[in-house]
Amino acid sequence: HDQRIAWWREARFGCFIHWGVYSVPGGEWNGKKVEGYAEHLMRKEKISRQEYAQKLIQHFNPAHFDADAWVKMIRDAGMRYLIITAKHHDGVAMYPTAISDYSIGQSPFKQDPMAALSAACKKYGIRFGFYYSHAFDWEHPDAPGNDWDYDNPGGDKNLHGGASWYDAHPELLPKAVKYVNEKSIPQIQELLRKYHPDILWFDTPHKLPLSENIHILEAIRAVDKHVVVNGRLARTGKISFGDYKNTSDRPAEFYPVTGDWEAIPTTNESYGYSRYDSSHKPVGFFIRLMAKAAAKGGNLLMNIGPEGDGTIDPRDTVILHGIGAWMQQNGES
Ligand code: JFZ
């Protein structure tokens, strides 16, 4: 474990990127503003699996996507690792996948942005990895989360016992296990074999029972003994599995302050691009945050939300450039 996580301990500062087909509407649906996380559009608006594919996947074509420019900008900001959403809760694979037809392989965009980013990261000496929503998937008919097309547990209606559905209704477990075996594990192993990421970043483990999350961890280690895994893969009470812990997403106070930990503030309030959310914090805020994290021995993984056409949001560019200028004056390398 010490060997596996050595590069991550030294990295200190990374870039989190939430980018998906939800970045195109960018927090707006049917002409009205959608509150909160823009990447939660499908759940908030209860968009059917089919309509989401027709309106978003089948039109996804980010003409301004430029992996080299993205990574150069990140490198110039002093960031040493990059984590991008390979699949968020909407279930859409942001790479051509052999496992599912819910992917940008079905879009007019005929490139593989994950391959391009991986190559650019190699070129600029940046560690590279994926966010993968292993537990929560609004597309798959058997996964926890979608209670508008299906009556699956783990959604907003709190069906079948709510958050602890697997305790209240163990007879529903085979459904979730089917999803894990059919989609979650095969796609995670596909990502490992195809792109050889340095790190995998998981989220919302409470949607699945611990046994399934551990099953996923075993499937990861069967393919790759070296990939770093964050703590949100599997958790029970205060114990989290994986190689390091994440703080909650609110950056105001950092805890825990011991062990290997990482904070994940986003530049505004949404993780995915939102045309309406201009609550971006000033450069100085992130510089102070970086100093605090370093003082307490943690990493800062700062999130940006590029636009659906591949442009980096100018409100994020200001922050990245500002941090870069500060790093030039005060940074190490
Ligand atoms: C989750 C996602 O639902 C969200 O879209 C984004 O990807 C974010 C990074 O992670 O949201 C969370 C998860 C955990 C907390 C808050 C938001 N938390 O522990 O406070």
Side-chain angles (χ1 to χ4, degrees):
H1 162 259
D2 272 343
Q3 236 180 348
R4 188 158 66 214
I5 202 167
W7 71 261
W8 180 93
R9 284 182 179 146
E10 283 171 18
R12 290 282 177 223
F13 187 34
C15 192
F16 208 6
I17 301 183
H18 278 64
W19 192 56
V21 300
Y22 47 76
S23 308
V24 176
E28 180 180 301
W29 197 244
N30 294 328
K32 76 173 215 300
K33 172 182 168 181
V34 180
E35 297 290 336
Y37 292 157
E39 69 276 16
H40 284 238
L41 176 81
M42 186 182 187
R43 175 182 64 80
K44 287 176 184 240
E45 294 299 311
K46 308 297 174 208
I47 304 167
S48 75
R49 180 191 189 280
Q50 196 194 350
E51 185 184 5
Y52 196 80
Q54 280 171 353
K55 295 202 172 147
L56 297 179
I57 300 175
Q58 287 169 28
H59 293 279
F60 187 71
N61 204 356
H64 298 292
F65 174 72
D66 182 343
D68 196 276
W70 282 23
V71 177
K72 184 173 183 300
M73 176 176 254
I74 285 160
R75 195 270 319 259
D76 290 346
M79 292 157 148
R80 298 194 182 110
Y81 63 116
L82 186 167
I83 293 169
I84 183 157
T85 44
K87 187 200 86 173
H88 203 265
H89 308 326
D90 63 1
V92 180
M94 292 301 292
Y95 65 100
T97 172
I99 312 303
S100 159
D101 60 8
Y102 223 62
S103 99
I104 62 162
Q106 307 295 312
S107 80
F109 187 53
K110 288 300 163 222
Q111 300 175 39
D112 178 349
M114 300 300 138
L117 286 167
S118 166
C121 282
K122 241 188 208 98
K123 174 177 163 188
Y124 290 105
I126 302 290
R127 296 283 181 160
F128 178 69
F130 299 116
Y131 173 110
Y132 185 90
S133 182
H134 66 304
F136 208 18
D137 186 304
W138 303 326
E139 168 276 318
H140 196 281
D142 298 303
N146 183 326
D147 56 19
W148 55 100
D149 290 313
Y150 322 109
D151 65 350
N152 288 347
D156 294 331
K157 291 185 199 157
N158 287 320
L159 298 173
H160 315 299
S164 50
W165 62 267
Y166 33 81
D167 294 328
H169 287 277
E171 76 279 7
L172 290 175
L173 246 171
K175 241 171 98 78
V177 170
K178 188 165 183 283
Y179 153 71
V180 167
N181 289 331
E182 265 178 13
K183 185 173 180 185
S184 203
I185 287 177
Q187 282 195 330
I188 293 165
Q189 292 185 331
E190 182 183 49
L191 288 168
L192 289 170
R193 293 190 173 114
K194 233 175 140 167
Y195 306 100
H196 307 286
D198 297 300
I199 180 165
L200 291 175
W201 211 100
F202 298 100
D203 207 2
T204 60
H206 54 279
K207 300 290 177 185
L208 283 174
L210 182 63
S211 52
E212 279 315 293
N213 291 330
I214 297 296
H215 181 193
I216 293 171
L217 182 55
E218 285 169 352
I220 293 166
R221 290 291 169 230
V223 174
D224 193 331
K225 302 249 179 296
H226 304 290
V227 67
V228 175
V229 172
N230 77 324
R232 283 192 188 171
L233 171 68
R235 198 165 45 200
T236 173
K238 284 198 155 77
I239 301 167
S240 88
F241 296 76
D243 295 316
Y244 68 89
K245 293 171 273 190
N246 289 104
T247 64
S248 74
D249 67 329
R250 300 294 163 194
E253 283 307 320
F254 288 146
Y255 63 90
V257 291
T258 58
D260 295 310
W261 63 273
E262 174 185 69
I264 53 162
T266 184
T267 50
N268 51 359
E269 290 293 321
S270 176
Y271 283 88
Y273 172 74
S274 168
R275 57 190 76 243
Y276 291 105
D277 182 350
S278 289
S279 63
H280 297 70
K281 278 112 12 193
V283 174
F285 175 87
F286 291 101
I287 290 168
R288 279 190 290 274
L289 217 49
M290 228 185 320
K292 278 197 225 173
K296 294 183 177 187
N299 282 11
L300 195 66
L301 182 65
M302 190 188 87
N303 179 78
I304 62 169
E307 297 182 40
D309 67 358
T311 308
I312 301 284
D313 185 336
R315 298 166 298 185
D316 287 336
T317 306
V318 168
I319 294 169
L320 290 168
H321 280 161
I323 295 172
W326 186 87
M327 285 285 200
Q328 281 267 309
Q329 299 279 313
N330 306 286
E332 277 172 14
S333 54

